[in-house]
Amino acid sequence: AQSVTQLGSHVSVSEGALVLLRCNYSSSVPPYLFWYVQYPNQGLQLLLKYTSAATLVKGINGFEAEFKKSETSFHLTKPSAHMSDAAEYFCAVRIKAAGNKLTFGGGTRVLVKP
Amino acid sequence: DTEVTQTPKHLVMGMTNKKSLKCEQHMGHRAMYWYKQKAKKPPELMFVYSYEKLSINESVPSRFSPECPNSSLLNLHLHALQPEDSALYLCASSPWGAGDAGELFFGEGSRLTVL
């Protein structure tokens, strides 16, 4: 079965500091991986996706993520946090050979301190 | 038009009421989804329609009844709900049908409160 785990349900960063959100997946076949952001009382917005092309993926709002097969990871980073980055972030996996359902990790809430 | 539109944004209903949530997209997408999201939790898949046919039902109770009248519309009919059904209901769509592994496009959600 596919699953995705986000390490840390809450992350606090200072404005201007590095943002690092961790995501690990479990799958015996190549996955498609996604990062979504959810602002309070809103839906989910796609930040970036990995679909077996380049392993370093750049997304919107200055975010990027690197797919590392050997570590089964897809960590999300942003070099310099902005106050507007405060939100809930979800890593998600989709595997064609396993029902192709989009399955979410538990989420990480990011707090940005001034 | 790159939006998934959900109505109503807020709904309060009693346990004996019948109500519906509506979702609309005009992007020509061929798969549509209903997710349920409880507070401080990730979204959980409920139903998937692919090419207007129900392809996945995640063992959802029958008090939730999905309907896909055409490729642009998705409804969720609600009847005899329980207070624990209170949640944010998210609709999503994807371009190529449920067999494609691309991203989903989400609406803003309908926040349901069952009294």
Side-chain angles (χ1 to χ4, degrees):
Chain A
Q2 65 190 56
S3 72
V4 57
T5 302
Q6 292 182 240
L7 185 61
S9 59
H10 292 80
V11 167
S12 181
V13 299
S14 296
E15 192 173 18
L18 172 72
V19 179
L20 170 61
L21 305 183
R22 300 179 188 274
C23 173
N24 287 90
Y25 67 92
S26 64
S27 173
S28 58
V29 297
Y32 289 77
L33 294 159
F34 308 85
W35 275 100
Y36 282 88
V37 61
Q38 186 175 33
Y39 299 101
N41 299 312
Q42 294 190 23
L44 279 73
Q45 180 183 9
L46 182 71
L47 282 175
L48 47 80
K49 62 182 178 182
Y50 168 76
T51 55
S52 76
T55 56
L56 182 61
V57 181
K58 294 188 183 300
I60 63 171
N61 302 340
F63 284 94
E64 64 180 35
E66 186 172 8
F67 173 71
K68 291 187 177 180
K69 184 177 179 180
S70 61
E71 299 177 7
T72 61
S73 69
F74 190 56
H75 302 330
L76 181 72
T77 61
K78 181 175 180 177
S80 176
H82 190 272
M83 296 299 290
S84 61
D85 294 326
E88 186 88 24
Y89 292 79
F90 292 100
C91 183
V93 64
R94 207 172 181 188
I95 301 171
K96 278 195 170 185
N100 209 27
K101 303 172 189 176
L102 185 68
T103 303
F104 291 90
T108 299
R109 181 164 297 276
V110 172
L111 172 65
V112 182
K113 299 177 292 184
Chain B
D1 188 351
T2 57
E3 286 188 348
V4 176
T5 303
Q6 291 188 241
T7 55
K9 292 192 183 305
H10 300 274
L11 177 63
V12 179
M13 60 186 292
M15 290 189 284
T16 58
N17 292 158
K18 286 185 180 181
K19 298 286 184 182
S20 296
L21 305 180
K22 180 180 174 181
C23 175
E24 195 166 4
Q25 57 87 14
H26 295 288
M27 297 179 280
H29 289 181
R30 304 315 304 268
M32 295 186 77
Y33 309 74
W34 280 115
Y35 279 82
K36 174 182 178 179
Q37 187 179 25
K38 301 284 278 184
K40 302 186 188 302
K41 296 291 186 182
E44 295 179 343
L45 182 64
M46 299 175 72
F47 302 104
V48 181
Y49 274 84
S50 184
Y51 294 91
E52 301 165 48
K53 295 189 186 305
L54 183 65
S55 64
I56 295 177
N57 176 342
E58 291 287 271
S59 302
V60 178
S62 60
R63 58 185 184 269
F64 295 91
S65 176
E67 179 195 21
C68 188
N70 59 59
S71 60
S72 299
L73 280 175
L74 184 65
N75 298 319
L76 186 62
H77 302 299
L78 314 170
H79 174 53
L81 295 192
Q82 304 298 311
E84 59 265 29
D85 296 322
S86 299
L88 182 68
Y89 289 83
L90 293 163
C91 175
S93 68
S94 63
W96 306 112
D100 181 71
E103 71 267 32
L104 272 59
F105 296 76
F106 284 85
E108 297 282 295
S110 293
R111 185 162 300 280
L112 172 67
T113 302
V114 182
L115 301 176

